[in-house]
Amino acid sequence: MEELNPLLGDLEEVLLHEDEIKKRVKELGEQIACDYRGKELVVVGILKGALVFMADLVRHLSIPVIIDFVAISSYGAATKSSGAVRILKDLDAPIENKHVLIVEDIIDTGLTLSYLAENLRARKPLSVKICTLLDKPDRRKIDIRPDYNGFQIPDKFVVGYGLDYSEKYRNLPCVAVLKPHIYQNQGRKGSLPNGYDNGNK
Ligand code: 5GP
């Protein structure tokens, strides 16, 4: 396998395998399609982390949807305390009087999503709901709960299926924890974000 994909050699532990992700994303898509049947739905993906999940999820939505994206400032200083993240790319179209489903890769502290959901609610949509692939409830700083959730995972920094470390590993088909030397090799710049140690001191 590692010969096929050299990235696999960097993984300490696979938390979610490709097949179980596929199965769960299909279930989520079917549930969402059922809940929004007959309604006008705008699916808003958060770049770049939600890209892979979004692409798979929308293909299980057997209802007409409009797809849009926002890009917000990445994981780091701005999101740590206030959640007041910068919108780098806004929606292409207004969402007034539309149902909105935000698609996110992972909810961690909840600060990013609570800021974004608030920002979108101010535009007078009919509803705003949240669909996340992964949820790390242990790290929550704000009481925000996804309406649709793929998997709850432990308090570890993960990569793959859209999630990156230093912009790499997004293209892994699974969700995994990296070997500790990957971070160490990168020196100070490469340390884990936001106080993670993944249990590897
Ligand atoms: P929150 O504002 O909920 O703390 O953070 C949400 C964002 O932080 C996610 O969209 C994601 O970009 C990043 N993030 C949180 N946990 C992880 C993780 O375990 N791995 C990666 N790659 N990014 C994470």
Side-chain angles (χ1 to χ4, degrees):
M1 272 296 258
E2 281 175 31
E3 278 169 32
L4 295 176
N5 187 346
L7 290 180
L8 296 178
D10 292 350
L11 307 185
E12 168 112 319
E13 181 192 2
V14 174
L15 292 185
L16 300 167
H17 290 271
E18 187 174 0
D19 286 353
E20 50 187 321
I21 298 175
K22 244 186 208 160
K23 183 167 167 277
R24 185 71 187 122
V25 172
K26 182 171 184 282
E27 284 168 6
L28 285 173
E30 287 169 357
Q31 180 66 55
I32 292 165
C34 182
D35 294 350
Y36 285 94
R37 204 162 296 285
K39 295 179 178 159
E40 202 169 343
L41 179 63
V42 183
V43 184
V44 174
I46 305 183
L47 294 171
K48 302 174 198 168
L51 166 79
V52 178
F53 176 37
M54 173 97 162
D56 285 345
L57 182 72
V58 293
R59 280 177 285 180
H60 292 293
L61 299 181
S62 54
I63 52 169
V65 296
I66 289 168
I67 291 174
D68 211 336
F69 291 96
V70 288
I72 50 190
S73 54
S74 62
Y75 199 91
T79 61
K80 271 184 193 165
S81 50
S82 65
V85 296
R86 212 153 48 96
I87 295 189
L88 303 175
K89 183 228 165 280
D90 207 341
L91 296 175
D92 288 339
I95 50 171
E96 190 168 351
N97 290 327
K98 306 240 162 81
H99 293 281
V100 172
L101 181 68
I102 303 175
V103 175
E104 174 64 309
D105 51 358
I106 186 165
I107 309 184
D108 188 23
T109 63
L111 291 167
T112 310
L113 258 184
S114 84
Y115 173 83
L116 184 68
E118 205 54 36
N119 182 298
L120 297 187
R121 281 197 183 101
R123 306 179 196 195
K124 303 193 169 56
L126 289 176
S127 68
V128 176
K129 287 193 175 179
I130 293 166
C131 175
T132 186
L133 177 74
L134 306 172
D135 186 13
K136 279 196 280 199
D138 293 349
R139 301 227 335 146
R140 205 68 100 251
K141 288 189 178 157
I142 278 190
D143 184 21
I144 183 164
R145 281 164 225 191
D147 300 280
Y148 304 94
N149 176 37
F151 304 91
Q152 281 201 357
I153 61 163
D155 180 4
K156 291 187 172 189
F157 187 81
V158 294
V159 296
Y161 200 71
L163 291 114
D164 76 310
Y165 172 62
S166 278
E167 290 301 327
K168 280 167 67 186
Y169 304 102
R170 293 192 197 277
N171 55 324
L172 275 174
C174 58
V175 170
V177 176
L178 288 171
K179 287 180 179 158
H181 76 84
I182 306 290
Y183 310 112
Q184 286 147 14
N185 285 350
Q186 301 228 355
R188 199 172 57 81
K189 226 180 117 210
S191 58
L192 277 168
N194 214 9
Y196 279 96
D197 63 24
N198 278 354
N200 304 304
K201 298 272 181 202

